[in-house]
Amino acid sequence: MNILVTGGAGYIGSHVVEELQKSGFTPIVYDNFSTGHEAAVPDEVQLVEGDIHDVRFAKHIMEQFKIDAVIHFAASSLVGESMTDPAKYYFNNVEGSLHLLEAMRGAGVDRMVFSSTAAVYGEPEAVPITEDSRLAPTNVYGRTKLAIEGMLADYDHAYDMRYVALRYFNAAGASPTRDIGEDHSPESHLIPLILKTAQGVRKQVSIFGTDYPTADGTCVRDYIHVCDLAKAHVLALKHLLSGGSSRVYNLGSENGFSVRQMIDSAKKVTGVDFPVVEEARRAGDPAVLIASSAKIREELGWEPQHSSVDEVISTAWKWHKGHPHGLSLIHISEPTRLRRIS
Ligand code: UDP
């Protein structure tokens, strides 16, 4: 079956493309390369340079490739930037998703797996966080993802478009089998920043806040391996393709680790004793975010298998060591694969 993967040249998208291939699906990557990397897409995968805002072109591609379902990653995803440039986020995420949905409607494609986020919860009232927890995002990024979830529910109700929205906690790690990994610009995520410091590309790691009400005073997060996330997307896809109803699921390991614990694990895995400095809290960071993923475990049989902290860090480390400056400097071997079909 043919699956259109918007944002398939990005970090999570490229890992899902790998998992789709392993599971016998044919992924078609649709990406505008605003943040994605062509080098993250395997040579044998059809790559289409296109924008989700381009309704006619997206519809044409869905028809041409006889698309059975869409997995939708294409989005702007930097929390800090979303606060300083909300227009970009409402335009790319909310309006972009609306355009994509309209292209799907036009092409008669009625199944979507949607890349959502734990940021839809904001500051939790209790942990672990279940899907029924209060939805009160504290940043623009989370608000745009929640708006899209609402749009999907309305499209389901009115147009019978079924969806699975997957709310990720802290995606981390890298594929042990393919040369893909996490590369944002600018980088703001803890694990890549730690590993770039271990490599000597950055001078030091900052701990944002040491006075949180946690065991060691630093923030606690639920780190989930990107390969476990990828498996969940394929399960969600199979659920929809076998006639399943629309669902919303959390994706987390259900274990919390503090910033200090992540730094200690990275020092152990890398064997490098890099400098660490303590700084003030970063605005908008809740003290503890831990998922309950009971719902997807029970309903779809998902089970994280790679999300121990050491495996998350060691797979990320292996990738970072090979790419000290990320993916952007990689030589593109087959430029002809990049085609915009019109
Ligand atoms: N963090 C930190 N130093 C950094 C980057 C992040 O202490 O240089 C902390 C951040 O405050 C949060 C955790 O690490 O508690 C994870 O942050 P990240 O940006 O990776 O993901 P988020 O939880 O914000 O989605």
Side-chain angles (χ1 to χ4, degrees):
M1 287 189 143
N2 297 338
I3 312 300
L4 193 76
V5 185
T6 73
Y11 169 47
I12 301 174
S14 59
H15 285 83
V16 170
V17 164
E18 181 185 17
E19 192 59 33
L20 286 168
Q21 289 181 288
K22 279 193 205 157
S23 309
F25 291 98
T26 305
I28 289 102
V29 169
Y30 188 90
D31 204 296
N32 69 0
F33 298 106
S34 57
T35 56
H37 307 276
E38 194 202 345
V41 182
D43 286 349
E44 68 279 12
V45 170
Q46 175 67 55
L47 185 54
V48 178
E49 184 185 13
D51 202 293
I52 53 172
H53 290 287
D54 193 342
V55 179
R56 279 185 55 204
F57 182 61
K59 171 175 175 284
H60 170 68
I61 292 298
M62 290 181 206
E63 287 166 347
Q64 175 163 343
F65 288 98
K66 300 189 169 37
I67 294 298
D68 295 290
V70 173
I71 305 185
H72 177 33
F73 296 100
S76 297
S77 61
L78 299 175
V79 169
E81 186 190 51
S82 78
M83 301 301 282
T84 54
D85 193 0
K88 176 176 173 180
Y89 281 70
Y90 284 102
F91 180 69
N92 284 345
N93 298 0
V94 180
E95 191 175 318
S97 297
L98 177 62
H99 285 146
L100 180 68
L101 285 169
E102 281 306 283
M104 288 173 67
R105 213 151 67 89
V109 181
D110 58 2
R111 302 284 184 271
M112 176 188 277
V113 178
F114 173 58
S115 163
S116 189
T117 171
V120 297
Y121 297 113
E123 182 82 48
E125 289 172 315
V127 287
I129 300 169
T130 64
E131 290 81 354
D132 302 328
S133 302
R134 182 187 60 169
L135 296 168
T138 51
N139 55 59
V140 174
Y141 170 67
R143 279 193 279 280
T144 64
K145 290 285 180 170
L146 188 56
I148 300 163
E149 286 193 15
M151 219 149 68
L152 289 170
D154 291 335
Y155 268 60
D156 179 347
H157 184 71
Y159 311 128
D160 287 331
M161 197 178 274
R162 305 283 181 252
Y163 69 96
V164 176
L166 298 174
R167 294 176 179 162
Y168 317 145
F169 281 66
N170 288 59
S175 167
T177 50
R178 269 201 44 222
D179 192 21
I180 47 180
E182 189 172 11
D183 175 28
H184 306 104
S185 183
E187 189 56 75
S188 63
H189 294 291
L190 181 66
I191 294 176
L193 288 172
I194 288 176
L195 296 179
K196 280 179 193 291
T197 311
Q199 279 176 304
V201 174
R202 296 176 67 94
K203 283 206 185 81
Q204 58 193 32
V205 175
S206 301
I207 299 182
F208 295 147
T210 53
D211 58 348
Y212 283 97
T214 59
D216 66 16
T218 65
C219 283
V220 169
R221 292 289 179 274
D222 180 335
Y223 296 89
I224 177 80
H225 198 286
V226 66
C227 292
D228 287 329
L229 287 186
K231 285 212 171 66
H233 288 73
V234 171
L235 289 173
L237 182 67
K238 287 180 176 168
H239 165 80
L240 290 175
L241 293 172
S242 61
S245 59
S246 295
R247 320 296 291 158
V248 176
Y249 295 121
N250 284 343
L251 291 179
S253 71
E254 306 186 310
N255 294 308
F257 290 91
S258 72
V259 174
R260 281 195 209 280
Q261 285 177 308
M262 299 307 284
I263 290 172
D264 288 346
S265 169
K267 286 188 173 180
K268 189 181 74 186
V269 168
T270 63
V272 182
D273 187 15
F274 47 82
V276 176
V277 294
E278 297 181 2
E279 289 193 27
R281 292 182 178 196
R282 188 172 70 176
D285 271 340
V288 180
L289 293 176
I290 301 174
S292 163
S293 291
K295 189 175 166 196
I296 188 165
R297 281 195 281 108
E298 280 157 25
E299 293 187 6
L300 301 190
W302 178 70
E303 212 55 66
Q305 287 165 348
H306 304 283
S307 293
S308 73
V309 169
D310 283 358
E311 187 166 353
V312 162
I313 293 190
S314 59
T315 55
W317 177 234
K318 182 169 161 267
W319 186 80
H320 275 272
K321 272 195 298 191
H323 303 279
H325 302 288
L327 273 173
S328 41
L329 299 180
I330 283 185
H331 174 65
I332 295 167
S333 55
E334 284 182 70
T336 49
R337 276 193 307 128
L338 182 65
R339 30 191 208 127
R340 190 190 195 292
I341 303 161
S342 50

